[in-house]
Amino acid sequence: MKRRSSLVAAALLTACLSLPLLAPAQTPPAKVLRMVPHANLTVLDPIWTTAYITRNHAYMVYDTLFATDSKGKVQPQMVDKWSISKDGKVWTFTLRDGLEFHDGKQVTSEDVIASLKRWASRDTMGGILAKFITQYEAVDAKTFRLVLNEPCGIVLDALGKPSSNVPFIMPARIAATPGTEQIKEVIGSGPFIFKADEFKPGDKAVYVKNTKYKPRSEKPDGMAGGHVVNVDRVEWLFIRDPQTQFNAIKAGEVDMIEQAAFEQVSSLKVTEGVQIVDLSGAGLQFFMRFNHLYPPFDNVKIRQAAMVALGQEAFLKTQVGVPGLYRYCKSIFPCGTPYASDNSSYFTGMANPQKAAQMLKEAGYNGTPVVMLRPTDLASIAKLPLVAKQQLEAAGFKVDLQQMDWASVVARRAKKDAPDKGGWNLFFSAWASADIASPLTMAMLNAQGDKGWFGWQNEPRFEELKAKFARASSDGEKKKLAEQMQILAMDTATHAPLGQYNQPSAVRKNITGLLENGGLVPLMWNVRKD
Amino acid sequence: MLRFLLRRLLAVLPVLLVVAVVVFLILRLTPGDPAAVIAGNNSTNEDIDRIREQLGLTKPLLAQFGIWLGNVLRGDLGYSYYLSKPVTALIAQRIEPTLSLALGTIILAVGLAVPLGTLAAWRMGGWLDRLLSAFSVAGFSIPVFVTAYVLIYVFAIQLQWLPVQGYQTLFGAGSRGLAAWAYHLVLPWITLAMIYVALIARVTRAAVSEALTEDFIRTARAKGLTEGAVLLRHALANAAVPIATVVGIGVALLIGGVVVTETVYAIPGLGSLTVDAVLNRDFPVIQGVVLLFSVAYVFINLLVDLSYLVLDPRIRY
């Protein structure tokens, strides 16, 4: 009996160990690029949502009229040439030859107009541009006009907007879907075709090379230039666990981790066959947002005291912790973007608890507890509230730190109730630089009270300055207005910038040609797999 | 027998109704708003209100429940708020990996645990028994993710015999056959089976050792039967009911308890679907999956009860 059981055990073990021999060859085809994206792709409509993962998916599938290069300059992409009337009110664009949707139909002016209208119905900057447009006119299949009610300085900036919502061009029949509803089909004219039949949310998304795509002749630069595809197929494999991501790239099962966990950067650096690359340009900015409706932060002096109490270094060291991947920046417009400025009024980004305590005393702070929301499940920002609590308490604030998951934070921050009745005083988040590089796209400057962004600041001067900015025709004028808005943001303490960081990717060493861009988009054109 | 079956099937209905009410209420009372999650970072209260209206979340709670229950009775579990797909389609897409993982694990566990437990009972106090006791303690106390990472490190990273992660479908488009399917599941099966081998082997050992003390065993031996026949035909057969019970519990626990294994091995099953749904407050998906799990638990229990009729002829319903 003993012998028989030993034989059974041996047979089972042999069966297990011999499975690799039965398995098909695991070597992937030479031109399949496998990437672990930063999040699970669930929504496929880049106009309906502002989620970065959906925007990144859209960059695979769709094309844009204009695109932003690595220096932040807007360059033509689908557009061949364009002209502006002498009075600055009529913009005429001509599409380049050979643009074709994945269903085989030619891209026409009608498609462009329908796409722009849908985008403008959802996007903040698109909405501002739309207020200038009195007429969208399709001159012929390849030419269209935007007729404005007055000259506008943001036409190209808006059309070449690199981050959510990006004005991607879709077939008119799909773009006819109201912006408040999701599109049902993914048909673009971009360099990759989405394989709807292989899409499994929570598992993988597959894209194949669009062999009919005609790239521009210019060298690729950021999102601009020629979108030349050098791989046959791209697979996004959603792997939730960072340790499994690490193991998968080490074993060569994936070629790239879009956002490597900070804790693993040092290990990945010394892993054979793997390198760490930083494609994120100006990176991202951490910030803390005040609720302007309730005490104590309905008092501007107390908000300013809190700003003075905060020191960026502690936030960056605690949350990021990898030297070289973070930087101090006191500007509300991220350092490294066109409107960044050192003129930040009293805000230095260096913690000064003594001065903050003095300001707090002068402002008459009565010890009202500050309700601070902490998303425990969002590792990228979960440590920020802990640092803020310590720094604010050092200045004399009383802090009530409330822990919850991110879904609860986003629900809670939308509540206008008093902090002790389910509302809040402070929450934290991070923005990609491309999203807050312009005053027109920065959510925190949407200070229209009840209709504004969470925190509901009511400061009409921002809208006046933004209107001037939209009309400004020169870069110098725009920069001056942006600086005025920054000073106003500091003086009214809209929010506190907590420093900048870069998000590295982990890439197998046989992958080359990845392009740096400010939007944190893993661009898959120009990439080679040797 | 037929009356028993009918009675048990009818008893399922109130259980499911209670589950439906409790899950529905718990989700609505939990902090978090699906509309706020969907609206994203760059939204306003106006956007969130519009989405809430579209999702039907502004209706009174009772009306929401009535609509959902009515749809469920028609076999419609609703639409995912987030994925804009029918919940039934999402479950259909994710059930294969979870079933593959759960059934493979239980087959492996039973295949190893029952013989090991029987042998340990037969040679109680011997080296195999002591080894099994040590293994059981380890199986129960080592967390699944630790076992998983150790196995991955040894078999996938160092030896490179097996893959680190992923799932290869067995059916339909994309299938590369039985071998590829099993190749991706060997490590997850072993990981999960550790606990169930420990559990089933201990119960088997206890049940068989108890049976071995019975008079009929002494009679069987006195009749001159071989030890193998005594063990298999008499001791194990009489220990089958508690073993079947624990296997049933194991299957039921496995279906809902594969979340960690699915996460570590990046297997796109019902566990990860549920986690995503909870994080996004995707109520229809959570409700659908919980309802499915409840139905599975009830039917597994029913199957276990029916198995008693086969395993022990003395039992009558």
Side-chain angles (χ1 to χ4, degrees):
Chain A
M1 190 67 202
K2 270 184 190 171
R3 194 166 159 239
R4 192 181 297 167
S5 67
S6 304
L7 284 173
V8 170
L12 275 170
L13 191 63
T14 313
C16 288
L17 297 183
S18 62
L19 273 165
L21 304 174
L22 300 172
Q26 284 303 294
T27 317
K31 300 292 182 185
V32 179
L33 188 82
R34 295 192 172 95
M35 184 193 79
V36 180
H38 72 271
N40 181 13
L41 177 67
T42 51
V43 178
L44 300 176
D45 186 343
I47 305 302
W48 187 81
T49 179
T50 54
Y52 288 160
I53 189 71
T54 306
R55 176 204 61 185
N56 296 355
H57 148 82
Y59 267 110
M60 301 286 286
V61 181
Y62 301 102
D63 214 345
T64 51
L65 296 173
F66 289 86
T68 308
D69 67 18
S70 59
K71 290 159 209 78
K73 283 213 175 323
V74 174
Q75 307 286 0
Q77 187 49 236
M78 293 170 84
V79 165
D80 181 28
K81 55 187 180 186
W82 74 99
S83 60
I84 311 160
S85 66
K86 276 186 185 165
D87 62 1
K89 293 208 271 188
V90 181
W91 292 64
T92 307
F93 303 88
T94 306
L95 299 172
R96 61 191 172 91
D97 289 327
L99 299 177
E100 192 179 299
F101 285 115
H102 301 154
D103 60 3
K105 299 209 169 78
Q106 194 197 341
V107 179
T108 66
S109 301
E110 299 288 352
D111 299 312
V112 171
I113 289 170
S115 299
L116 291 182
K117 283 181 175 171
R118 185 165 188 264
W119 162 72
S121 74
R122 299 289 293 154
D123 182 63
T124 314
M125 202 164 182
I128 293 168
L129 177 64
K131 284 181 186 162
F132 284 92
I133 299 174
T134 53
Q135 198 184 342
Y136 297 85
E137 192 186 330
V139 179
D140 58 43
K142 279 174 52 188
T143 311
F144 66 96
R145 273 193 200 119
L146 301 180
V147 182
L148 312 181
N149 49 21
E150 60 176 303
C152 168
I154 59 158
V155 175
L156 293 186
D157 290 340
L159 298 180
K161 191 174 177 273
S163 195
S164 300
N165 301 95
V166 179
F168 292 112
I169 304 304
M170 304 173 178
R173 66 183 171 84
I174 296 174
T177 313
T180 51
E181 286 173 27
Q182 287 191 53
I183 56 170
K184 304 273 188 298
E185 263 181 289
V186 181
I187 293 180
S189 61
F192 289 94
I193 299 170
F194 178 64
K195 294 281 287 173
D197 56 335
E198 292 191 50
F199 175 49
K200 288 184 186 165
D203 182 14
K204 68 175 176 181
V206 177
Y207 308 85
V208 292
K209 179 179 179 174
N210 177 8
T211 51
K212 290 181 180 171
Y213 184 75
K214 292 196 171 58
R216 296 187 71 90
S217 55
E218 295 94 335
K219 263 179 72 179
D221 181 10
M223 284 146 175
H227 296 180
V228 179
V229 175
N230 300 312
V231 292
D232 300 315
R233 182 179 163 100
V234 175
E235 292 182 1
W236 286 12
L237 303 175
F238 179 55
I239 302 177
R240 184 192 312 274
D241 179 31
Q243 185 59 46
T244 307
Q245 293 177 5
F246 177 92
N247 289 333
I249 198 165
K250 187 179 165 88
E253 289 179 24
V254 299
D255 301 302
M256 179 177 175
I257 301 170
E258 185 198 342
Q259 293 188 3
F262 290 121
E263 292 82 356
Q264 290 178 343
V265 168
S266 54
S267 303
L268 284 163
K269 272 183 184 167
V270 295
T271 300
E272 201 186 332
V274 177
Q275 58 185 324
I276 289 290
V277 295
D278 179 12
L279 307 164
S280 59
L284 300 97
Q285 185 193 72
F286 292 128
F287 71 93
M288 182 181 86
R289 175 68 165 173
F290 299 101
N291 184 345
H292 295 242
L293 294 182
Y294 291 102
F297 294 130
D298 58 343
N299 180 340
V300 67
K301 296 285 176 199
I302 294 179
R303 292 201 298 274
Q304 287 176 348
M307 301 272 285
V308 171
L310 301 174
Q312 294 188 350
E313 196 181 354
F315 285 100
L316 294 167
K317 278 188 172 167
T318 309
Q319 186 62 61
V320 181
V322 183
L325 286 180
Y326 57 79
R327 66 167 152 173
Y328 161 86
C329 175
K330 60 178 181 171
S331 170
I332 60 166
F333 302 106
C335 295
T337 62
Y339 304 121
S341 165
D342 276 341
N343 191 347
S344 58
S345 187
Y346 64 93
F347 179 70
T348 62
M350 311 271 193
N352 190 340
Q354 293 80 19
K355 188 178 171 191
Q358 182 60 34
M359 289 170 77
L360 210 51
K361 200 175 162 191
E362 286 166 13
Y365 175 62
N366 62 0
T368 307
V370 170
V371 174
M372 184 186 277
L373 310 183
R374 180 184 179 225
T376 50
D377 62 330
L378 200 58
S380 59
I381 57 167
K383 294 172 189 165
L384 300 177
L386 303 177
V387 179
K389 181 177 190 290
Q390 204 172 31
Q391 293 188 340
L392 291 176
E393 283 178 344
F397 280 96
K398 198 172 165 190
V399 178
D400 175 9
L401 183 70
Q402 300 195 6
Q403 325 237 17
M404 58 198 74
D405 67 351
W406 178 243
S408 299
V409 170
V410 295
R412 184 93 176 255
R413 74 177 180 184
K415 283 186 192 289
K416 291 180 184 163
D417 300 329
D420 59 348
K421 292 184 174 60
W424 58 279
N425 289 115
L426 293 171
F427 78 86
F428 300 79
S429 193
W431 285 107
S433 292
D435 283 317
I436 50 170
S438 162
L440 301 185
T441 56
M442 186 181 282
M444 289 78 82
L445 299 190
N446 182 357
Q448 302 177 75
D450 275 356
K451 289 186 174 175
W453 201 58
F454 312 113
W456 308 286
Q457 183 181 19
N458 194 355
E459 182 48 82
R461 283 177 291 177
F462 278 119
E463 292 311 307
E464 288 162 20
L465 284 166
K466 281 198 269 183
K468 282 184 189 167
F469 183 92
R471 287 171 178 83
S473 53
S474 74
D475 287 347
E477 202 182 342
K478 284 181 185 171
K479 199 159 175 146
K480 205 172 143 191
L481 286 162
E483 193 170 290
Q484 284 178 31
M485 278 186 259
Q486 170 157 304
I487 293 166
L488 183 59
M490 293 301 179
D491 290 346
T492 61
T494 54
H495 66 290
L498 303 178
Q500 252 170 270
Y501 69 101
N502 281 44
Q503 177 60 62
S505 303
V507 183
R508 297 282 309 173
K509 282 183 177 162
N510 60 336
I511 305 298
T512 53
L514 285 156
L515 296 163
E516 185 182 313
N517 64 89
L520 261 85
V521 183
L523 302 173
M524 291 289 119
W525 56 80
N526 199 49
V527 176
R528 286 186 184 278
K529 183 174 178 178
D530 301 318
Chain B
M1 167 76 174
L2 202 65
R3 189 181 289 174
F4 166 77
L5 258 181
L6 208 64
R7 210 170 54 230
R8 287 296 298 268
L9 286 174
L10 282 175
V12 169
L13 297 177
V15 171
L16 292 182
L17 188 67
V18 169
V19 169
V21 173
V22 170
V23 172
F24 188 88
L25 285 178
I26 284 177
L27 288 177
R28 265 50 181 197
L29 298 174
T30 307
D33 179 357
V37 178
I38 290 168
N41 233 0
N42 199 358
S43 58
T44 60
N45 287 72
E46 209 175 301
D47 297 325
I48 295 172
D49 290 343
R50 181 178 39 74
I51 294 171
R52 204 177 283 135
E53 178 83 37
Q54 283 175 355
L55 298 178
L57 293 168
T58 49
K59 292 190 174 88
L61 213 57
L62 202 64
Q64 288 182 47
F65 182 68
I67 293 167
W68 177 68
L69 196 65
N71 290 338
V72 169
L73 291 175
R74 285 194 296 274
D76 175 8
L77 293 176
Y79 260 69
S80 158
Y81 292 158
Y82 221 67
L83 303 168
S84 287
K85 279 187 171 180
V87 174
T88 42
L90 289 170
I91 289 175
Q93 204 174 52
R94 299 295 194 91
I95 202 163
E96 186 205 312
T98 299
L99 277 182
S100 300
L101 184 56
L103 293 179
T105 299
I106 215 74
I107 289 168
L108 183 64
V110 172
L112 286 173
V114 174
L116 285 174
T118 308
L119 291 174
W122 183 51
R123 287 286 180 257
M124 198 176 282
W127 66 267
L128 181 66
D129 187 27
R130 284 200 292 271
L131 197 69
L132 191 70
S133 293
F135 176 80
S136 296
V137 172
F140 281 130
S141 45
I142 300 175
V144 168
F145 67 91
V146 174
T147 312
Y149 288 139
V150 170
L151 289 174
I152 288 170
Y153 180 75
V154 175
F155 293 103
I157 304 285
Q158 292 301 315
L159 299 171
Q160 297 187 1
W161 288 354
L162 294 161
V164 168
Q165 51 79 42
Y167 176 77
Q168 185 62 54
T169 184
L170 186 57
F171 304 106
S175 171
R176 288 194 291 167
L178 190 70
W181 169 78
Y183 177 62
H184 280 83
L185 284 169
V186 171
L187 287 183
W189 281 338
I190 296 173
T191 304
L192 264 178
M194 291 275 283
I195 307 167
Y196 292 97
V197 168
L199 175 72
I200 299 168
R202 280 189 81 88
V203 172
T204 305
R205 176 188 174 276
V208 171
S209 65
E210 196 186 325
L212 283 171
T213 61
E214 299 286 342
D215 291 345
F216 60 82
I217 296 291
R218 197 170 56 233
T219 309
R221 282 180 176 143
K223 283 196 305 189
L225 286 182
T226 62
E227 276 300 283
V230 170
L231 269 181
L232 289 175
R233 292 221 301 265
H234 295 277
L236 192 57
N238 277 279
V241 169
I243 296 171
T245 308
V246 79
V247 170
I249 294 168
V251 174
L253 289 175
L254 256 173
I255 290 173
V258 293
V259 176
V260 176
T261 314
E262 283 186 5
T263 304
V264 172
Y265 289 103
I267 295 171
L270 288 174
S272 49
L273 178 70
T274 315
V275 170
D276 286 338
V278 170
L279 290 176
N280 292 325
R281 302 294 190 271
D282 199 342
F283 296 157
V285 175
I286 306 171
Q287 286 161 190
V289 174
V290 172
L291 214 57
L292 176 79
F293 285 164
S294 310
V295 173
Y297 286 155
V298 169
F299 279 96
I300 287 164
N301 276 326
L302 184 62
L303 282 179
V304 170
D305 285 350
L306 292 176
S307 75
Y308 294 163
L309 295 175
V310 181
L311 297 171
D312 189 345
R314 291 169 299 183
I315 295 174
R316 289 281 179 275
Y317 294 124

